[in-house]
Amino acid sequence: MLKLISLVTVQCFLLTASQVFLKKALIAFGKFQFTLAFFKNVFTNLSFALSGISIALASIIWMYVLKKYEFSSAYPLISISYIFGLLAAYFIFNETISWTRWLGGGIIMIGVILVVQK
């Protein structure tokens, strides 16, 4: 079970990293324009590339997890990515997180703990 939790935690971290990189890239792109310069900016943006790499790695790990472990054990664990998302919003994007969202994150973690119990 520890290997499953470790793999899914890494997968969730990469999944969240992908979304963080994508948001940073979208901010950098500015207003959408159907021009060559805009698309050159998109496809030469490091954050955009890192987003793609992160999601690809997360997908590879997830394929391994799905192949090796029971779906009913593995799938609920990906809710860990919601916690990483809250932390990224707070620490990277300096968003204000309401207490109800923190409470929801705590409830999610309680659910994760319950799922990994035998």
Side-chain angles (χ1 to χ4, degrees):
M1 184 61 77
L2 184 59
K3 185 175 180 182
L4 171 61
I5 294 168
S6 300
L7 284 167
V8 172
T9 300
V10 170
Q11 187 267 348
C12 289
F13 177 81
L14 289 167
L15 190 64
T16 305
S18 165
Q19 299 307 304
V20 168
F21 288 130
L22 183 60
K23 182 166 176 71
K24 287 184 169 281
L26 291 170
I27 290 168
F29 296 160
K31 185 179 178 206
F32 178 81
Q33 299 173 11
F34 209 89
T35 64
L36 184 61
F38 178 82
F39 286 102
K40 182 181 175 193
N41 182 29
V42 167
F43 292 109
T44 59
N45 184 289
L46 179 61
S47 291
F48 189 65
L50 290 173
S51 176
I53 292 167
S54 298
I55 197 74
L57 292 173
S59 296
I60 291 167
I61 292 170
W62 186 241
M63 287 187 286
Y64 175 81
V65 167
L66 286 177
K67 178 83 172 159
K68 185 139 174 101
Y69 297 97
E70 291 182 357
F71 191 76
S72 62
S73 296
Y75 193 75
L77 295 180
I78 62 173
S79 59
I80 295 169
S81 64
Y82 294 123
I83 306 308
F84 287 149
L86 275 175
L87 294 171
Y90 183 77
F91 288 109
I92 296 172
F93 297 110
N94 298 313
E95 295 179 10
T96 302
I97 311 296
S98 68
W99 70 271
T100 55
R101 289 184 185 167
W102 287 119
L103 178 63
I107 292 169
I108 288 170
M109 287 310 298
I110 290 169
V112 167
I113 291 167
L114 291 174
V115 166
V116 298
Q117 300 298 311
K118 293 209 175 213

